[in-house]
Amino acid sequence: SPPKCTESASIARAAIHAFKGLAMPEQQPVLGRITAIKGARASVRLGEDAFKETAGAGKDDPSQARVGDLVRIKTPRSIVYGIVNTLAISSYGAGGAPQSGQMDIDLIGESPAPAVTPSSFQRGVSCVPALGAAVSPATRGDTEMIYAAPTKANVKIGTIHQTDGIAAHLLIDDLLNKHFAILGTTGSGKSCAATLILKSILDACSHGHVIMLDPHDEYKSAFGDRAESVGIDNLQGGVVVPEPST
């Protein structure tokens, strides 16, 4: 039927777009090469490309490595992806310009090489990169594949920080079926993040209910008339005080 044809065409276009983003590693600069691997973490010796500065370079400029950036490493059977964890300069050249450095990356997953569908990314690494393997910045196609909207029930909570315009999703069932915590220093936005997540879930699940213990009464105004505030003043039946034990 026509709707299925339209859907197939959209999937095909997305697959081609992802393939274009994944299949051209030779166009990407080499940030460095792997010098050591321990478990799911790899150490990389940075080359000169990792310190290049270009006029008007923004956060999407692929010639510089930053903590939190996605990187790619090609193996014989897959493309492995990692997130930059630490960066350090090892030596300086003439004029004080950085000449070499060290980078640690956490390996997060892989996709078959070449990948032909946007959903080909999978968590975990089955083919570990070899020593000396080149590490390059991930392309936008890589990022779109890794953060593609999941097929299971999910909510959009914003966009990822690595690239503008790519949505960040949370799996509702996976999140609520487990214990989870939102961690951060004072003023970093923990309360705002909790409010955003809960509002997104309630928007998607209109019959859902959330019980929130709010000793500082900071969420009442955030949820407005969607919340029923229960306290000592309006708790029906009063407060039951247990008899002291003898």
Side-chain angles (χ1 to χ4, degrees):
S1 61
K4 290 184 178 180
C5 292
T6 303
E7 183 179 359
S8 298
S10 300
I11 294 174
R13 285 194 295 270
I16 292 172
H17 179 70
F19 178 79
K20 287 181 178 179
L22 294 167
M24 298 185 292
E26 66 276 3
Q27 295 185 2
Q28 293 296 104
V30 175
L31 298 174
R33 295 188 177 274
I34 293 179
T35 58
I37 295 179
K38 184 177 181 180
R41 175 165 291 192
S43 298
V44 180
R45 180 176 175 82
L46 297 175
E48 294 183 358
D49 277 344
F51 306 104
K52 283 184 178 178
E53 295 183 1
T54 56
K59 70 174 185 177
D60 292 331
D61 175 49
S63 65
Q64 292 178 299
R66 299 175 178 85
V67 172
D69 281 357
L70 282 167
V71 294
R72 53 146 62 199
I73 309 108
K74 190 174 182 182
T75 74
R77 299 199 308 267
S78 64
I79 298 174
V80 174
Y81 298 97
I83 295 180
V84 178
N85 183 287
T86 57
L87 287 165
I89 295 175
S90 302
S91 63
Y92 294 87
Q99 191 173 35
S100 65
Q102 184 76 16
M103 174 172 70
D104 291 332
I105 58 177
D106 294 321
L107 305 178
I108 61 171
E110 64 186 357
S111 66
V116 294
T117 63
S119 59
S120 60
F121 175 76
Q122 59 186 21
R123 296 286 178 180
V125 177
S126 62
C127 185
V128 178
L131 295 178
V135 179
S136 299
T139 66
R140 183 178 179 88
D142 293 326
T143 308
E144 289 177 343
M145 177 192 64
I146 293 171
Y147 292 100
T151 56
K152 296 191 290 185
N154 68 89
V155 290
K156 176 184 175 182
I157 59 169
T159 57
I160 64 171
H161 77 91
Q162 288 98 337
T163 306
D164 292 332
I166 298 180
H169 299 83
L170 282 178
L171 296 174
I172 299 176
D173 293 337
D174 289 359
L175 179 71
L176 299 181
N177 284 338
K178 304 173 183 177
H179 299 293
F180 71 93
I182 300 174
L183 306 176
T185 57
T186 302
S188 61
K190 299 183 298 295
S191 298
C192 292
T195 302
L196 172 64
I197 291 172
L198 293 177
K199 279 186 173 181
S200 299
I201 293 175
L202 291 173
D203 288 341
C205 308
S206 57
H207 297 291
H209 295 79
V210 175
I211 298 176
M212 176 176 287
L213 304 180
D214 184 16
H216 301 293
D217 199 25
E218 58 181 324
Y219 291 97
K220 182 178 179 181
S221 59
F223 288 94
D225 57 3
R226 300 181 68 176
E228 181 179 353
S229 180
V230 178
I232 295 178
D233 297 335
N234 63 352
L235 185 64
Q236 293 183 3
V239 179
V240 177
V241 179
E243 293 290 337
S245 59
T246 58

